[in-house]
């Protein structure tokens, strides 16, 4: 048996009888709990008893933040090898079996059983933060000292924080509920306080859960209002006159915030992306202060809206140069007003917010990369359904339906906003490769490489997918894979073609980076086609046709208004 698997059983047995204190205990409890109510209650218990500095850091980490650039995973495996005496190749084999690098390292390192408990704030301020600014040799020595200071049960949360993979099934919404219960304030207020860029080493926990909100002039994003999928017939929503319809844009959902200190672009994923889109932040001096607009960042060139893949080229680039700005331009498509001149507008009816947004944008000079999302006007639901079928031709995902009198809620409130997306593309593909999953799927082949037929009748890889099967189906596919492995390429096993899946995807584009010449967007397993044989799967020619169709639409399917502004409606 691999050393990590033997260590895992030993640590688990000891954990049942060992009374852990503080953050490590919270981590392990949350990791094992499955009920939402239990997790919220456990967080409330921790925050009510934890030291203030620990509580601030715990809020920051549980909200999804991480300390970046602490150590490279290759260095971690090397130093873990030196510490444990196991070769790197065996550590990699353990990682493949365990499915989680942090857990693998924790099991192999073992920790110091005689070490005393150390607080979360000390772990961060005395170990993690100094590591982020140390050179390679200093990191190696500091990490060895850290392993000497930590108990076996502290190692897993420590390595999770170290590698930036701190995910234990606690949603941001549930964290807000727990903190709100501690401070006896509204969860929406908590959501605003833990949004944005804040330093838990400076901000006191009382400022997060206290009655008074800290006053400053920095941008503070609002919790996003989310739409529910439309699963019933549209006419069941009542009179169309009570609803606002607009295109569902294929970009990055974002809030444009503007205050005295400048602007900020804050995504739904709780990330500030202004450095990647400086031309949008250049709008800040021309916009009123105390402003918050909800909208979408779109890739947008002379021909109109571009595929989402073009937008991805801008993500992660800090201060892109003139050539990138010229080659990959963007614009902000605004569709809701959340705050104006410092006044919260979210409780106003949607149409009132919309009128104020139109009035504000009308005062701006022309030529800015800021555009108002216009309504899709229709006389009845049947006609609107026909207009929705034009979505692919326009490069959008479908329609958004917003109740005319709806407020801007925090999170998803069914009945106010709906997303009425067009059906995805589908294609039958055969499994030609498989890889073990991670976490609970670490011992099951659950990540699949998929192929279609080229003109020569050979299988060519076009996608990877890992979601869409039930637990029973996963086990059945796993049994097939293990009996039909034909080769090994690192963690991937080539598989004798025999299993056919119907794969759904949002779009296709030509790609010189892929051997097949095509890349699919959001591929996922829709169903297992046990009625089909491998030689009955779709062809590469069909997928290339989808890509070429979308590219032709974007080349000649654009319109302009009287001022020459590009429109898609």
């Amino acid at each position: 048996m691999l050393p990590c698997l033997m260590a895992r059983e030993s640590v688990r047995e000891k954990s049942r009888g060992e009374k852990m204190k503080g953050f490590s205990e919270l981590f392990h409890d949350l990791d094992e709990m499955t009920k939402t109510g239990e997790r919220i209650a456990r967080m409330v218990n921790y925050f009510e008893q934890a030291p203030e500095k620990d509580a601030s850091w715990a809020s920051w980490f549980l909200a999804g933040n991480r300390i970046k650039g602490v150590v490279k995973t290759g260095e971690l495996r090397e130093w873990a090898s030196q510490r444990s005496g196991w070769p790197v190749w065996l550590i990699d084999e353990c990682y493949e079996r365990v499915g989680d690098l942090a857990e693998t390292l924790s099991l192999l390192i073992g920790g110091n059983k005689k070490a005393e408990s150390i607080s979360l704030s000390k772990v961060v301020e005395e170990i993690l933060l100094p590591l982020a600014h140390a050179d390679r040799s200093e990191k190696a020595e500091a990490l060895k000292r850290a392993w000497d200071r930590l108990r076996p049960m502290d190692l897993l949360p420590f390595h999770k924080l170290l590698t930036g993979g701190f995910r234990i099934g606690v949603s941001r919404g549930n964290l807000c509920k727990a903190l709100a219960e501690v401070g006896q304030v509204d969860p929406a207020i908590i959501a605003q306080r833990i949004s944005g860029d804040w330093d838990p080493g400076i901000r006191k926990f009382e400022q997060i859960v206290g009655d008074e909100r800290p006053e400053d002039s920095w941008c503070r994003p609002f919790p996003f209002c989310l739409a529910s999928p439309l699963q019933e017939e549209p006419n069941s929503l009542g009179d169309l006159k009570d609803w606002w319809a607009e295109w569902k844009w294929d970009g990055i959902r974002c809030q444009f915030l503007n205050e005295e200190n400048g602007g900020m672009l804050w995504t739904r994923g709780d990330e500030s992306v202004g450095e990647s889109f400086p031309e949008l932040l250049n709008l800040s001096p021309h916009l009123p202060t105390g402003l918050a607009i909800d909208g979408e960042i779109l890739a947008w060139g002379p021909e109109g809206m571009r595929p989402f893949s073009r937008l991805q080229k801008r993500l992660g680039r800090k201060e892109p140069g003139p050539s990138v700005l010229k080659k990959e331009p963007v614009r902000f498509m605004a569709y809701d007003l959340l705050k104006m001149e410092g006044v919260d507008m979210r409780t106003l009816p949607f149409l009132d917010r919309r009128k104020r947004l139109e009035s504000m944008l009308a005062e701006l000079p022309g030529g800015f990369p800021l555009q108002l999302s216009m309504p899709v006007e229709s006389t009845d639901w049947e006609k609107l359904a026909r207009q929705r079928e034009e979505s692919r031709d326009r490069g959008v995902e479908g329609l958004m339906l917003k109740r005319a009198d709806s407020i801007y809620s925090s999170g998803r409130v069914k009945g106010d906003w709906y997303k009425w997306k067009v059906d995805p593309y589908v294609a039958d593909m055969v499994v030609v490769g498989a890889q073990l999953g991670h976490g609970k799927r670490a011992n099951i082949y659950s990540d699949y490489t998929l192929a279609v037929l080229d003109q020569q009748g050979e299988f060519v890889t076009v996608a990877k997918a890992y979601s869409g099967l039930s637990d029973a189906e996963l086990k059945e596919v796993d049994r097939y894979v293990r009996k039909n492995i034909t080769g090994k390429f690192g963690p991937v096993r080539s598989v004798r073609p025999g299993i056919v899946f119907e794969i759904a995807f949002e779009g296709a584009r030509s790609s010189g980076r892929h051997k097949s010449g095509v890349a699919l967007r959001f591929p996922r397993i829709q169903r297992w086609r046990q009625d089909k044989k491998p030689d009955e799967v779709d062809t590469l020619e069909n997928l290339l046709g989808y890509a070429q169709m979308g590219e032709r639409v974007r080349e000649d399917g654009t319109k302009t208004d009287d001022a020459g502004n590009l429109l898609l409606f």
Side-chain angles (χ1 to χ4, degrees), residues 76-200:
L76 266 178
R77 297 201 307 274
E78 177 187 340
W79 298 330
S81 172
Q82 297 171 2
R83 175 82 172 195
S84 65
W86 300 104
V88 174
W89 69 264
L90 186 55
I91 291 178
D92 290 341
E93 288 288 333
C94 291
Y95 172 39
E96 185 177 326
R97 291 293 300 275
V98 173
D100 183 276
L101 181 60
E103 184 177 2
T104 303
L105 296 175
S106 303
L107 295 170
L108 294 176
I109 297 301
N112 183 354
K113 298 178 182 178
K114 297 181 180 180
E116 296 182 358
S117 176
I118 179 172
S119 69
L120 174 62
S121 58
K122 283 190 175 182
V123 169
V124 174
E125 296 168 3
E126 297 180 8
I127 302 177
L128 293 179
L129 292 178
L131 271 174
H133 303 288
D135 60 30
R136 192 177 188 278
S137 61
E138 290 173 338
K139 285 184 179 182
E141 291 302 316
L143 193 56
K144 291 175 184 178
R145 292 194 298 270
W147 284 333
D148 289 334
R149 294 179 64 183
L150 298 172
R151 301 169 298 173
M153 288 301 294
D154 297 331
L155 286 179
L156 182 55
F158 171 72
H159 285 121
K160 287 285 189 180
L161 298 178
L162 190 67
T163 58
F166 192 73
R167 294 183 295 273
I168 50 177
V170 175
S171 70
R172 194 181 186 90
N174 288 337
L175 172 63
C176 291
K177 291 177 182 178
L179 293 172
E181 186 172 339
V182 173
Q184 294 299 299
V185 294
D186 192 286
I189 300 298
I190 295 292
Q192 294 178 58
R193 292 178 181 177
I194 65 173
S195 295
D197 187 14
W198 56 282
D199 187 345

Side-chain angles (χ1 to χ4, degrees), residues 46-63:
Y46 169 80
F47 286 121
E48 288 179 340
Q49 299 183 27
E52 186 174 45
K53 291 184 71 175
D54 281 20
S56 292
W57 278 109
S59 301
W60 193 75
F61 284 120
L62 288 171

Side-chain angles (χ1 to χ4, degrees), residues 212-261:
E212 296 298 324
R213 177 177 176 178
E215 293 184 1
D216 54 50
S217 57
W218 295 101
C219 300
R220 303 182 65 84
F222 289 101
F224 282 83
C225 181
L226 306 178
S228 302
L230 183 62
Q231 298 175 327
E232 56 262 34
E233 290 297 322
N235 54 20
S236 67
L237 300 180
D239 195 331
L240 182 58
K241 294 180 181 179
D242 296 330
W243 292 85
W244 173 280
E246 63 185 319
W247 298 117
K248 187 180 187 306
W249 302 101
D250 189 12
I252 300 172
R253 177 82 180 275
C254 190
Q255 289 180 17
F256 193 127
L257 309 163
N258 200 49
E259 296 290 350
E260 294 178 3
N261 288 336

Side-chain angles (χ1 to χ4, degrees), residues 364-409:
L364 293 178
F368 286 110
L370 176 61
Q371 181 174 323
L372 190 65
S373 178
M374 301 302 291
V376 179
E377 297 179 346
S378 193
T379 55
D380 53 53
W381 289 110
E382 186 176 344
K383 181 181 177 182
L384 187 62
R386 291 195 298 270
Q387 291 171 285
R388 168 179 166 268
E389 296 304 315
E390 303 172 8
S391 296
R392 293 201 190 281
D393 294 340
R394 298 176 180 273
V396 296
E397 297 181 310
L399 289 172
M400 288 292 300
L401 303 176
K402 301 177 182 180
R403 190 176 290 278
D405 61 355
S406 62
I407 65 171
Y408 191 93
S409 304

Side-chain angles (χ1 to χ4, degrees), residues 404-439:
D405 61 355
S406 62
I407 65 171
Y408 191 93
S409 304
S410 299
R412 184 174 284 107
V413 178
K414 190 172 183 179
D416 285 349
W417 287 17
Y418 288 100
K419 47 187 176 183
W420 191 14
K421 298 177 68 173
V422 291
D423 295 332
Y425 294 108
V426 292
D428 292 329
M429 304 182 190
V430 63
V431 176
V432 294
Q435 183 175 347
L436 292 172
H438 293 80

